[in-house]
């Protein structure tokens, strides 16, 4: 007899490997954190498991990887609506962000991560820029860990930006920011690949050239990955031209900043030359379709990037510019926006969208050997999709159904690192949705008074 910790049987398995393998009736066995065996047909009689999931009629997908969000913004859904980026920032994220407490960050992280888990996400990349108090980062990380999601915490920095409304409390020298990154990496070094610490500039208009250099020297010396908002709007290039006489991407390329450790977020205004520079240097893109529409930023040139060989992943962005962390909703937008803006229904297909959400996310995270597909030896990060709901019935093609005809109610079970973190409407962390909502509303009353007093 062969014993496993977890057995998922009778599932329609969408492996999401390089050949898009599909196993119509299959089983997956998990030992510890990893996928230990995969088979087709009836589960062999010599297999036993401590926990068995009967997945008859359901589809098993690898977990989604949300490569960009801002956790504290889950407190701010709907604020700053109907404004473009800079105006929206000054009405919502910046005034509220400067007053957040570690406890509020923890609640926001629980909300964001639970919503992500409920929509099939097993990995979340938090782009953290409320840096006025080091304990805020610890509060955010604690909330992420409370839920059991795999986390990438990107501790960013701003070393200028007052002219654009950046609060003075957010601004600090890049060298000081790198010291804090080092503290976080040391403090959480024992988390393995369940928590990774990255860094990066927040935005172009709050970063000096010296700040880029300081961060790059640190990341090169310590082999640290980094991310940044780039070319989300025309402001990036306008600021860079005014201060340095060139656009942001060519400038970073000359500095040696573009590399396979870089995750570039938004990229709405990339030119063909800049796409080529990304491809040549192995830069990954985080495509955030919903926030790009919400803020009137435009549609990123994703088909052009894919055709050039750039790795593309998908992010939700913060819930103040989305206004949710529902990854399934973002995937539908990711496909439809590309089709609609070009009047080409085949511009981005459902399978290609899923590849960005899984394989693309894994590569963007530097974990393509561990995440992104259901294969033996990879981490057991996956979710079960229940198609027998009104919105998704009937299911002719699981790829088309999950992209175009699904919602959070279709996710029956989410598994991270071999552990069931969500099943049949219940979170294993024990946090109740209504109780969390009540706690957040109490804290929001405090924040509103502080912002009103500005």
């Amino acid at each position: 007899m062969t014993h496993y910790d977890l057995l998922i049987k009778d599932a329609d398995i969408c492996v999401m490997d390089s050949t898009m393998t599909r196993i119509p009736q299959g089983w997956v066995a998990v030992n510890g954190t990893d996928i230990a065996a995969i088979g087709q047909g009836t589960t062999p009689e010599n297999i036993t498991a401590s926990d068995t999931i009967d997945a008859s009629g359901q589809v098993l997908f690898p977990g989604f990887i949300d490569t960009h969000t801002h956790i504290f913004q889950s407190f701010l859904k709907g604020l700053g609506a109907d404004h473009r980026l800079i105006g929206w920032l000054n009405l919502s994220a910046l005034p509220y962000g400067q007053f957040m407490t570690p406890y509020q960050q923890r609640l926001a992280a629980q909300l964001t991560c639970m919503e992500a888990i409920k929509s099939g996400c097993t990995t979340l990349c938090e782009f953290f820029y409320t840096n006025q108090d080091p304990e805020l980062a610890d509060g955010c990380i604690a909330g992420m860990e409370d839920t059991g999601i795999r986390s990438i915490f990107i501790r960013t920095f701003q070393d200028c930006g007052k002219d654009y409304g950046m609060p003075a409390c957010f601004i600090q020298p890049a060298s000081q920011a790198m010291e804090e990154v080092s503290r976080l990496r040391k403090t959480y070094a024992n988390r393995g690949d369940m928590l990774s610490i990255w860094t990066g500039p927040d935005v172009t208009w709050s970063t000096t050239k010296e700040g880029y250099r300081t961060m790059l020297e640190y990341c090169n010396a310590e082999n640290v990955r980094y991310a940044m908002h780039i070319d989300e709007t025309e402001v990036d290039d306008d600021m860079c031209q005014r201060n340095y006489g060139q656009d942001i991407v060519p400038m970073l390329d000359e500095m040696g900043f573009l590399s396979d450790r870089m995750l570039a977020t938004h990229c709405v205004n990339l030119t063909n030359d800049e796409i080529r520079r990304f491809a040549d240097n192995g830069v990954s893109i985080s495509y955030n379709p919903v926030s790009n529409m919400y803020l009137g930023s435009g549609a990123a040139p994703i088909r052009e990037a894919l055709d050039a060989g750039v790795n593309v992943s998908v992010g939700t962005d913060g819930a103040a510019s989305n206004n949710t962390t529902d990854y399934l909703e973002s995937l539908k937008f990711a496909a439809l926006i590309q089709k609609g803006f070009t009047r080409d229904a085949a511009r981005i297909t459902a399978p290609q969208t899923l590849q960005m959400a899984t394989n693309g996310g894994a590569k963007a995270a530097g974990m393509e050997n561990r995440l992104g597909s259901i294969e033996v030896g990879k981490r057991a990060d996956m979710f079960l999709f229940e198609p027998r709901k009104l919105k998704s019935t009937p299911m002719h093609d699981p790829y088309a159904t999950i992209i175009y005809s699904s919602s959070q109610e279709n996710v029956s079970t989410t598994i991270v690192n071999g552990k069931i973190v969500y099943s049949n409407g219940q979170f294993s962390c024990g946090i109740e949705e209504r109780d969390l909502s009540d706690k957040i509303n109490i804290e929001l009353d405090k924040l509103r008074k502080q912002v009103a007093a500005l």
Side-chain angles (χ1 to χ4, degrees):
M1 299 293 288
T2 304
H3 187 79
Y4 297 102
D5 295 324
L6 174 64
L7 176 66
I8 303 166
K9 65 178 186 176
D10 295 325
D12 182 350
I13 304 172
C14 290
V15 175
M16 297 306 297
D17 58 2
S18 59
T19 58
M20 296 293 288
T21 300
R22 184 177 166 192
I23 305 173
Q25 181 191 12
W27 54 270
V28 174
V30 176
N31 259 343
T33 63
D34 297 345
I35 297 169
I38 300 171
Q40 185 168 15
T42 304
T43 308
E45 294 182 359
N46 66 335
I47 285 180
T48 61
S50 300
D51 196 0
T52 299
I53 298 174
D54 183 348
S56 300
Q58 299 187 64
V59 185
L60 184 67
F61 288 98
F64 293 141
I65 298 167
D66 184 343
T67 54
H68 188 72
T69 194
H70 306 285
I71 277 174
F72 85 95
Q73 289 183 18
S74 64
F75 268 43
L76 311 178
K77 296 174 181 177
L79 287 179
D82 307 320
H83 290 269
R84 293 204 69 197
L85 178 64
I86 301 299
W88 164 83
L89 277 170
N90 289 313
L91 286 168
S92 60
L94 296 183
Y96 278 83
Q98 63 187 307
F99 293 115
M100 293 287 289
T101 67
Y103 174 64
Q104 290 164 353
Q105 289 277 2
R106 187 167 189 167
L107 293 178
Q110 291 173 356
L111 172 59
T112 300
C113 295
M114 288 167 65
E115 189 175 6
I117 286 169
K118 200 172 182 178
S119 60
C121 279
T122 54
T123 299
L124 188 77
C125 298
E126 157 60 4
F127 195 92
F128 188 87
Y129 62 84
T130 52
N131 297 316
Q132 64 271 29
D133 178 355
E135 292 185 7
L136 293 169
D138 298 295
C140 182
I141 290 171
M144 297 176 85
E145 293 191 324
D146 287 340
T147 68
I149 202 166
R150 190 180 303 278
S151 306
I152 295 173
F153 185 85
I154 307 170
R155 201 287 190 185
T156 72
F157 71 95
Q158 308 96 343
D159 63 348
C160 66
K162 288 184 181 179
D163 293 347
Y164 291 89
M166 187 64 64
C169 63
F170 287 177
I171 298 172
Q172 63 181 172
S175 57
Q176 182 181 339
M178 295 308 103
E179 290 176 4
E180 179 60 14
V181 173
S182 291
R183 179 191 73 82
L184 291 170
R185 292 177 64 223
K186 182 178 180 180
T187 300
Y188 299 101
N190 65 344
R191 301 307 202 266
D193 58 14
M194 282 297 289
L195 173 63
S196 304
I197 306 295
W198 297 12
T199 188
D202 179 7
V203 286
T204 301
W205 37 268
S206 69
T207 312
T208 65
K209 209 166 186 177
E210 293 72 24
Y212 288 121
R213 290 195 184 100
T214 297
M215 189 221 78
L216 185 59
E217 289 174 3
Y218 173 82
C219 291
N220 286 342
E222 300 294 330
N223 194 28
V224 173
R225 301 181 72 86
Y226 49 95
M228 67 177 291
H229 295 108
I230 189 167
D231 275 341
E232 181 176 2
T233 70
E234 66 282 356
V235 173
D236 286 25
D237 283 336
D238 289 348
M239 177 271 183
C240 207
Q241 283 285 352
R242 186 165 58 253
N243 288 278
Y244 305 119
Q246 60 185 148
D247 289 346
I248 180 62
V249 173
M251 187 187 84
L252 293 179
D253 193 8
E254 290 178 8
M255 295 173 65
F257 201 92
L258 306 185
S259 78
D260 60 3
R261 291 200 302 273
M262 178 180 173
L263 176 60
T265 300
H266 295 300
C267 304
V268 172
N269 294 300
L270 284 184
T271 66
N272 288 334
D273 172 70
E274 291 165 348
I275 290 171
R276 178 190 59 78
R277 291 173 189 260
F278 276 17
D280 290 347
N281 290 283
V283 176
S284 289
I285 288 175
S286 177
Y287 169 38
N288 289 245
V290 177
S291 68
N292 294 158
M293 293 297 101
Y294 184 81
L295 298 174
S297 300
I302 297 305
R303 180 73 268 161
E304 292 84 350
L306 290 170
D307 289 345
V310 178
N311 178 59
V312 180
S313 61
V314 179
T316 54
D317 208 356
S321 64
N322 184 295
N323 283 334
T324 178
T325 314
D326 184 343
Y327 198 77
L328 287 165
E329 182 180 81
S330 288
L331 291 183
K332 185 170 183 176
F333 271 85
L336 297 187
I337 286 168
Q338 297 296 317
K339 299 170 187 288
F341 270 74
T342 60
R343 300 187 181 185
D344 179 0
R347 186 76 170 177
I348 296 289
T349 67
Q352 288 167 342
T353 306
L354 277 169
Q355 286 175 321
M356 291 189 286
T358 54
N359 312 147
K363 187 172 182 179
M367 298 186 189
E368 61 266 41
N369 294 327
R370 285 168 279 172
L371 306 177
S373 60
I374 300 173
E375 299 181 84
V376 172
K378 288 196 171 184
R379 296 289 185 263
D381 286 17
M382 46 198 168
F383 70 95
L384 281 166
F385 179 86
E386 171 55 82
R388 291 164 294 190
K389 303 289 183 180
L390 294 179
K391 187 173 184 178
S392 51
T393 295
M395 182 179 74
H396 298 286
D397 171 7
Y399 304 116
T401 297
I402 195 169
I403 296 299
Y404 303 124
S405 308
S406 71
S407 66
Q408 289 181 338
E409 71 172 356
N410 294 109
V411 177
S412 67
T413 304
T414 305
I415 299 164
V416 181
N417 216 37
K419 294 182 173 62
I420 298 171
V421 297
Y422 175 78
S423 182
N424 298 316
Q426 297 296 315
F427 292 91
S428 300
C429 61
I431 300 171
E432 296 291 336
E433 293 183 46
R434 180 61 182 271
D435 182 55
L436 178 59
S437 177
D438 290 343
K439 290 177 180 177
I440 287 171
N441 284 324
I442 290 171
E443 296 302 313
L444 266 175
D445 285 341
K446 301 175 186 176
L447 282 171
R448 291 190 187 105
K449 292 174 183 176
Q450 290 173 296
V451 171
L454 282 176

